[in-house]
Amino acid sequence: VADAHPLARLSIGNLLAGLGCRWAGAADGPAARQLLEQAAQQNDPFRLVLAEETLPGMDWNEWSRHVSVGDGNGAATLFWLTPFGQTQAQEPPRPPGCAGVLTKPVRRQALQNCLTPSVAAGAGPGARGEASGTGAAPTAPGLRVLVVEDNATNQLIARKLVEQFGSHADAVNHGRAAIEVLRQKPYDLVLMDCLMPEMDGWTATRQIRSGMAGVLNPAVPIVALTASVLNGDRARCLEAGMDDYLPKPLQPAALAELLGRWSRHEPRAFERRELVRRLGGNVALAKNVADSFLADVPERIQELHLALTGGNVAKVRSLAHQIKGAAAAVGGPAVQRVAGAMEAAVVSGQLDKLAALAPQLDTEFGRLRTSLADPAWAANFVTRGNNL
């Protein structure tokens, strides 16, 4: 997947992964050529290349030579990625071996068509190898998503996009209705608008997380939907207990990436960009915050285990709350979510959940500690000029 925009690469990559493919991404022509050459050297050539037609640094007149380098048994099939709304008359001449055009945002069915043997066989000189796929596995198979949005048009768009990416979506108009539904049905993910009548998204999230709302899963992942992209609003969402953030208007690529991530149950261990951004781009301060977290939280987790062993649930709740807040401050959503679930379990009286959540906390903290302790994350920001 050769596209200058990282979100476009990730979105298409997630779709390909859902179709059973291995994939790699490149931001420009030289990087794409390097990947092709490395794959050839490893005797593991690429069979399909999806490349932005305006890919920086790519001379399309030389394309045939490069794809031949990238495949010892026959050239890879090339499809061009073109912007939405571009007409056929506006397209520049296609290079030799180009099998067709995909319009961005790319749809799963369109990608699946690229993987069928019939398309590969009819693609001309660029498709001597046979493309392969595993069927119609969706990007986010089987997720049950609740859309909480008071605007009917936005609600419809969100529902249809979720369904397009392979999941089921229900919708309600405000936070109070969301809590009522969450009391009755289990959901894997909630897309929560922030500004709504009856009850806004921040209030609804706080009530869900408190454990007092009676929902089936107080730790259900909640993603904020908001038209505001200010840093303060992102912080407000995290403070309310939300796990992630999507700006409106909702973009298919961003939603696809998010659904793919949550479908694999892999919330990011460390949101390093968010931590640095929240601190005004001050990498040194972010590193100090990370070091402080690593110095303090292991002791808090040890105290929590001791409190669990001694049956001191009040202390378990207090320590879980502290760990949750510290994880939110340092950009650790996975630790934040598990600690929040432990706090909610105590509040709701569901103490039987604590035994299963405690080892999860250890696991997620281990992932976060590994990321925070790696000096490369801060060094990368410095060498790249804090380019967030």
Side-chain angles (χ1 to χ4, degrees):
V1 180
D3 194 296
H5 197 291
L7 192 58
R9 295 197 301 272
L10 189 57
S11 173
I12 295 170
N14 278 330
L15 291 175
L16 287 166
L19 289 166
C21 297
R22 293 173 296 143
W23 72 280
D28 53 37
R33 290 193 293 271
Q34 183 178 13
L35 285 173
L36 289 165
E37 291 165 359
Q38 288 176 345
Q41 293 169 2
Q42 296 167 3
N43 197 28
D44 186 21
F46 288 94
R47 298 298 183 184
L48 179 68
V49 176
L50 309 176
E52 183 183 23
E53 64 178 17
T54 57
L55 187 68
M58 174 56 81
D59 182 353
W60 292 113
N61 292 326
E62 299 181 2
W63 174 254
S64 294
R65 178 171 65 85
H66 290 307
V67 295
S68 296
V69 167
D71 189 341
N73 299 316
T77 304
L78 166 67
F79 281 83
W80 253 0
L81 302 172
T82 64
F84 177 78
Q86 177 173 284
T87 65
Q88 187 172 358
Q90 295 172 321
E91 290 181 18
R94 299 182 195 174
C98 183
V101 172
L102 292 174
T103 302
K104 295 190 291 185
V106 176
R107 302 287 187 253
R108 182 177 63 85
Q109 185 60 53
L111 274 180
Q112 186 178 346
N113 291 341
C114 295
L115 300 173
T116 60
S118 60
V119 171
R128 293 191 294 273
E130 181 178 292
S132 63
T134 61
T139 304
L143 282 185
R144 189 179 183 90
V145 180
L146 179 63
V147 178
V148 189
E149 166 68 69
D150 65 310
N151 182 286
T153 301
N154 291 342
Q155 186 185 106
L156 178 63
I157 290 172
R159 285 182 52 230
K160 292 303 181 182
L161 284 175
V162 168
E163 291 168 358
Q164 173 185 305
F165 293 131
S167 290
H168 172 81
D170 295 324
V172 294
N173 297 326
H174 51 74
R176 199 179 305 281
I179 290 175
E180 184 58 36
V181 171
L182 290 170
R183 287 171 178 162
Q184 302 170 19
K185 299 178 183 178
Y187 285 88
D188 301 298
L189 185 68
V190 177
L191 301 180
M192 181 80 76
D193 187 23
C194 292
L195 295 174
M196 296 178 291
E198 296 280 339
M199 182 183 288
D200 63 50
W202 298 296
T203 303
T205 299
R206 289 191 187 95
Q207 292 198 16
I208 291 167
R209 295 291 187 242
S210 73
M212 302 300 291
V215 301
L216 296 176
N217 179 16
V220 60
I222 300 175
V223 176
L225 301 177
T226 177
S228 177
V229 293
L230 299 176
N231 289 343
D233 294 301
R234 172 68 187 244
R236 185 178 180 185
C237 293
L238 292 176
E239 289 166 2
M242 294 174 173
D243 298 278
D244 215 327
Y245 173 99
L246 282 178
K248 294 195 297 186
L250 198 59
Q251 299 298 315
L255 180 61
E257 188 275 334
L258 180 132
L259 290 175
R261 176 152 43 87
W262 284 106
S263 71
R264 297 189 301 273
H265 305 290
E266 295 177 0
R268 291 190 180 100
F270 178 33
E271 295 276 8
R272 61 191 180 93
R273 293 180 182 275
E274 177 56 32
L275 171 62
V276 176
R277 183 181 289 112
R278 192 164 62 245
L279 296 175
N282 190 329
V283 179
L285 178 57
K287 187 67 169 61
N288 287 339
V289 170
D291 291 342
S292 176
F293 177 87
L294 291 176
D296 175 67
V297 170
E299 184 177 346
R300 302 282 84 79
I301 292 178
Q302 185 177 9
E303 291 178 5
L304 186 147
H305 282 295
L306 291 173
L308 271 175
T309 303
N312 189 342
V313 292
K315 191 169 185 179
V316 169
R317 176 185 177 183
S318 174
L319 289 165
H321 181 80
Q322 293 175 37
I323 295 167
K324 179 184 73 173
V330 82
V335 170
Q336 177 190 353
R337 185 161 65 91
V338 177
M342 296 187 75
E343 180 186 14
V346 174
V347 172
S348 63
Q350 297 174 306
L351 303 182
D352 57 314
K353 293 184 176 181
L354 293 174
L357 288 168
Q360 290 182 33
L361 181 64
D362 291 338
T363 298
E364 297 300 348
F365 176 72
R367 292 174 60 208
L368 179 56
R369 177 171 53 192
T370 299
S371 298
L372 289 173
D374 184 355
W377 72 264
N380 286 342
F381 279 113
V382 175
T383 56
R384 296 178 184 179
N386 293 347
N387 181 12
L388 305 186

